[in-house]
DNA sequence: TTGCTCCTCACGTCACGTGAGGTGGC
DNA sequence: TTGCTCCTCACGTCACGTGAGGTGGC
């Protein structure tokens, strides 16, 4: 006994997938009709495919990329499938949180709230540190730093060392200009240390910088960058090299974002 | 005194907008540099543009379309601007809710929960109704129906009439196949009524249908469509004409989705 | 001089949608 | 025969990203 043939139109109504979408899914091999007429090219589907179509619609409604949908559909067992689904749901939760942050950041901007401190010009002393370097996208940089500082702290712990100052990071201009670039996460220490894994000892030479302390969430850091950059440009001091950040008060210290402090250091050619 | 000129790279770092994005915003006239060098083509921005750039970034982070961003930027006063912003935030809230529904619907599908009733074949008696017809996208159909039933109820109220049965709607196949098409929302009444505004009296002729009552949220209606359509196709009864829904228990009756009941009526050529 | 920043095209991406122009079966 | 369903291209959409190939100023 063969299954009932369903035309593309019928199948569309049963799955709420548009006919255009169904043809596209056929093209990319996500959901091929059970049969295609040699002569007319008419597609036909079978009832067993309806549930798959309904699953695809739900996943696409949640903006899951087609390749990920394919992974769910082709999962060899329900454990694998559920893992892929759970991973996507986690990503959605994360994006939800980011959206909430973005709304808060927007509100703060249009309300004109936010702290504007005073720009200071100073030399940063040379220092030895334990560092991890990587090519990171602006989008991922927060997670990347969290992982990096964890690794650095464990490494120093194993060596019986304690950081001699706040955590810092260097950002190549490309991190902002093309939204991906070299980032160095570091914890300052007094002297060279042996490399291990991603962690290496690193010497940061002295630099002259303009600095401004950012008060509040990381999502609003651009405002401090703006104020600082404008001041530096207005004085004709714009230097080259990475931007440095010092993490003075972080989410690890307090969940109250208004208390967070990040010192932004913008390279300058010389002290004014 | 003229403002400090900022290179595209500097401006990028101060706004967290990529250089490519800034060139794109110039192309589409969303954020033109204060000056462009005739000879070299170099763009230069001024400090006064930094806050605008930061606003644009926040709005784009929230997936606001560029045309809407333009409306915010070009708003003549803060009241207008805040209205556009508030409207976008409302849309975001709605999408959040939809996402939650989609997740629930996905969970229900993979867990295989859901009610499967028994398909019934019957004739729907001809009836007179008060109706509103429109060309509606699948995405908007829920809101459209809510507004339509409100209008219909007010109209009947003004005439001193009471519906003689549950609310219903007709859906052209295109609503599913191209995600937009003719929809008719109606409230049955005993006799013709005069038209007024969008509301008109309408006669629905008798039709033979296969019906299945959907239990639960509208987001899961496709599952009932699937079960019903398969049954109809398997019996070779597929007819033409719009699909009809009868809203037996709705969110207006109870917030408990599991109690909602929607009768789906699939047109057939004849009773089996 | 080298390296750095900036420039303009042309084309790619993603997941379809839009339309033109045409066929097959009742 | 008409209308309906279905078909295949080719191109468009949206907001940029990806290169290629090249210029200008220190």
């Amino acid at each position: 006994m063969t299954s009932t043939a369903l035309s593309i139109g019928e199948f569309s109504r049963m799955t709420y997938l548009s006919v255009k979408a169904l043809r596209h899914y056929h093209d990319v091999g996500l959901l091929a009709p059970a049969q295609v007429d040699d002569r007319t090219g008419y597609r036909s589907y079978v009832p067993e495919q309806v549930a798959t179509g309904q699953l695809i619609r739900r996943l696409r409604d949640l903006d899951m990329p087609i390749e990920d949908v394919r992974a769910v559909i082709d999962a060899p067992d329900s454990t694998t499938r559920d893992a892929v689904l759970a991973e996507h749901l986690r990503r959605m939760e994360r994006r939800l949180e980011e959206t909430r942050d973005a709304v808060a950041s927007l509100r703060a901007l249009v309300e004109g709230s936010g702290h504007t401190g005073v720009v200071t010009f100073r030399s940063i002393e040379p220092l030895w540190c334990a560092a991890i370097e990587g090519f990171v996208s602006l989008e991922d940089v927060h997670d990347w730093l969290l992982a990096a500082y964890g690794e650095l702290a464990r490494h120093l712990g194993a060596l019986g060392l304690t950081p001699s100052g706040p955590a810092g990071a260097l950002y190549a201009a490309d991190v902002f200009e093309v939204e991906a670039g070299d980032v160095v996460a570091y914890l300052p220490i007094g002297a060279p240390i042996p490399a291990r894994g991603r962690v290496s000892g690193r010497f940061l030479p002295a630099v002259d910088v303009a600095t401004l302390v950012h008060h509040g969430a990381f999502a609003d850091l651009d405002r401090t960058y703006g104020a600082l950059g404008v001041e530096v440009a207005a004085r004709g001091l714009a230097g080259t090299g990475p931007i440095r950040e010092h993490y003075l008060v972080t989410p690890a210290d307090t969940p109250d974002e208004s208390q967070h402090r990040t010192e932004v250091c913008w390279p300058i050619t010389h002290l004014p």
Side-chain angles (χ1 to χ4, degrees), chain A:
Chain A
M1 172 193 153
T2 95
S3 286
T4 316
L6 303 172
S7 73
I8 197 170
E10 290 176 312
F11 194 71
S12 166
R13 274 166 271 157
M14 295 180 198
T15 56
Y16 283 34
L17 289 168
S18 77
V19 168
K20 289 284 186 182
L22 285 171
R23 288 205 268 256
H24 182 65
Y25 297 156
H26 184 191
D27 284 349
V28 301
L30 176 63
L31 179 62
Q35 209 189 320
V36 179
D37 188 292
D38 281 346
R39 203 163 49 82
T40 65
Y42 277 33
R43 294 164 177 86
S44 46
Y45 297 83
V46 290
E48 292 72 33
Q49 297 183 289
V50 171
T52 305
Q54 291 169 345
L55 178 56
I56 291 174
R57 183 177 73 87
R58 282 166 178 72
L59 299 177
R60 290 292 307 127
D61 270 2
L62 293 169
D63 288 325
M64 182 184 280
I66 283 199
E67 285 315 303
D68 294 15
V69 174
R70 196 195 304 275
V72 174
I73 301 297
D74 295 349
D77 54 75
S78 67
T79 313
T80 310
R81 189 195 60 185
D82 292 352
V84 179
L85 287 176
E87 171 57 24
H88 184 69
L89 291 180
R90 265 195 298 278
R91 278 206 301 271
M92 300 223 32
E93 294 281 349
R94 274 266 324 263
R95 279 202 36 198
L96 266 180
E97 240 179 273
E98 285 166 16
T99 299
R100 271 192 288 272
D101 292 351
V103 169
S105 179
L106 172 61
R107 287 233 160 86
L109 187 73
V110 302
E111 284 163 12
S113 62
H115 172 91
T116 306
V118 58
V119 175
T120 305
F121 299 87
R122 65 181 175 96
S123 278
I124 295 180
E125 297 299 305
L127 62 87
W128 279 98
C129 60
I132 294 178
E133 180 169 4
F135 186 90
V136 188
S137 73
L138 184 53
E139 191 183 15
D140 297 336
V141 77
H142 196 86
D143 288 343
W144 186 87
L145 285 177
L146 270 177
Y149 289 123
E151 213 170 318
L152 288 168
R154 279 193 300 279
H155 190 66
L156 291 192
L159 293 171
L161 294 170
T162 311
S164 58
L170 307 180
Y171 296 92
D174 273 357
V175 174
F176 311 102
E177 296 182 17
V178 300
E179 300 195 331
D182 268 316
V183 177
V184 176
Y186 68 85
L187 292 176
I189 43 175
I193 54 155
R196 199 176 107 187
R198 294 202 298 168
V199 181
S200 63
R202 188 166 182 138
F203 178 71
L204 303 183
V207 273
D208 292 336
V209 295
T211 75
L212 182 54
V213 174
H214 176 72
H215 290 216
F218 291 129
D220 294 322
L221 260 174
D222 58 340
R223 297 177 67 184
T224 293
Y225 273 59
L228 184 54
V230 164
E231 179 82 15
V232 168
R235 292 177 180 244
L237 291 174
T240 54
I243 290 175
R244 197 182 292 219
E245 293 183 359
H246 294 141
Y247 303 107
L248 309 179
V249 182
T250 73
D253 301 310
T254 166
D256 177 5
E257 288 193 334
S258 69
Q259 301 211 26
H260 294 167
R261 298 290 180 269
T262 307
E263 185 182 37
V264 180
C265 308
W266 195 284
I268 55 178
T269 50
H270 59 278
L271 294 179

